[in-house]
């Protein structure tokens, strides 16, 4: 005797299985696509250069070479002359990574220039990264900076060799050529005074 439950043959089961598969694809595929797009966007950000006006709390920063010999810094400056960081050994050097298109950099440059004037013996060297040379020269001239002290870095390779995570970013190199301080984001005159004064006093 047959029960009252309707019997499902093969033809009744297969359409339901296929329907379940379609529902699973509709749920999983959009999620997978979103993951791929997010990963691709992150990759583009990393390839296209440093973060503007970044703060230490905002950006995962590669370990800065504090306490280690300064990475190589050599190249053509905005004035066309060569510059080699090793030629400045024996004096304290402030290395600033900047760009004219970066608003926080434009605000910070007068602070750096003033600190150089306030601390005789300090040399200010720039890494002008991913920038237009004409705009960079005009900005430096306007704030009293020296185009002959900023090395051009059109593809960001030089900044990357210094483990730069954002612009502006500042490193202080002592007379022996070691990185003694690092700051991500715009520096203040007080920060520069605190770092430079003991280095100039004790070498």
């Amino acid at each position: 005797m047959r029960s009252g439950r309707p019997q499902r043959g093969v033809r009744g089961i297969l359409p339901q299985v296929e329907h379940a598969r379609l529902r699973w694809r509709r749920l999983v595929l959009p999620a997978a696509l979103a993951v791929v797009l997010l990963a691709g966007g992150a990759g583009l950000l990393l390839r296209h250069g440093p973060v503007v006006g970044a703060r230490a709390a905002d950006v995962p920063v590669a370990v800065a070479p504090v306490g280690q010999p300064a990475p190589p810094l050599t190249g053509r400056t905005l004035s066309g002359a060569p510059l080699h960081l090793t030629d400045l050994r024996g004096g304290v050097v402030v290395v600033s990574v900047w760009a004219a298109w970066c608003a926080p950099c434009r605000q910070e440059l007068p602070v750096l220039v003033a600190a150089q004037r306030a601390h005789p013996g300090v040399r200010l060297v720039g890494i002008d990264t991913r920038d237009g040379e004409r705009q960079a020269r005009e900005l430096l001239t306007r704030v009293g900076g020296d185009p002959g002290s900023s090395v051009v870095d059109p593809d960001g390779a030089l900044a990357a060799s210094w483990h730069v995570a954002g612009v502006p970013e500042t490193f202080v190199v002592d007379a022996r050529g070691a990185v003694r301080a690092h700051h991500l984001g715009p520096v203040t005159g007080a920060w520069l005074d605190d770092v430079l004064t003991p280095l100039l006093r004790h070498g």
Side-chain angles (χ1 to χ4, degrees):
M1 182 177 180
R2 296 183 179 179
S3 64
R5 177 182 297 177
Q7 299 296 314
R8 294 179 180 172
V10 175
R11 293 181 179 178
I13 293 174
L14 288 179
Q16 293 183 20
V17 171
E18 187 62 27
H19 181 67
R21 287 178 179 171
L22 289 174
R23 288 184 60 191
W24 179 83
R25 289 174 183 170
R26 291 192 187 108
L27 291 173
V28 173
L29 290 179
L33 181 59
V35 171
V36 171
L37 290 174
L38 287 172
L44 286 173
L45 285 174
L46 292 173
R47 286 197 300 271
H48 282 27
V51 179
V52 180
R55 296 176 302 173
D58 298 333
V59 181
V61 184
V63 178
V66 175
Q68 303 176 23
L73 200 174
T74 183
R76 179 178 61 83
T77 67
L78 287 165
S79 67
L83 184 148
H84 304 276
L85 182 61
T86 53
D87 292 343
L88 305 179
R89 189 72 56 83
V92 177
V93 181
V94 176
V95 178
S96 172
V97 186
W98 68 285
W101 47 261
C102 161
C105 300
R106 294 195 297 270
Q107 298 168 2
E108 179 193 58
L109 279 174
V111 176
L112 293 169
V113 172
Q116 183 181 30
R117 292 172 178 167
H119 298 278
V122 170
R123 179 71 182 270
L124 177 60
V125 172
I127 298 176
D128 181 33
T129 189
R130 299 177 181 270
D131 206 2
E133 294 188 29
R134 180 179 61 81
Q135 294 89 335
R137 281 192 296 268
E138 290 175 353
L139 175 60
L140 283 176
T141 301
R142 190 160 61 246
V143 301
D146 178 15
S149 292
S150 274
V151 176
V152 296
D153 182 31
D155 60 0
L158 185 55
S161 72
W162 279 70
H163 307 287
V164 168
V167 288
E169 193 160 347
T170 304
F171 303 83
V172 178
V173 180
D174 67 14
R176 298 175 181 84
V179 177
R180 296 292 296 274
H182 164 251
H183 191 280
L184 175 58
V187 297
T188 63
W191 184 87
L192 289 167
D193 288 342
D194 289 344
V195 173
L196 295 175
T197 299
L199 289 179
L200 292 169
R201 184 181 300 133
H202 303 295

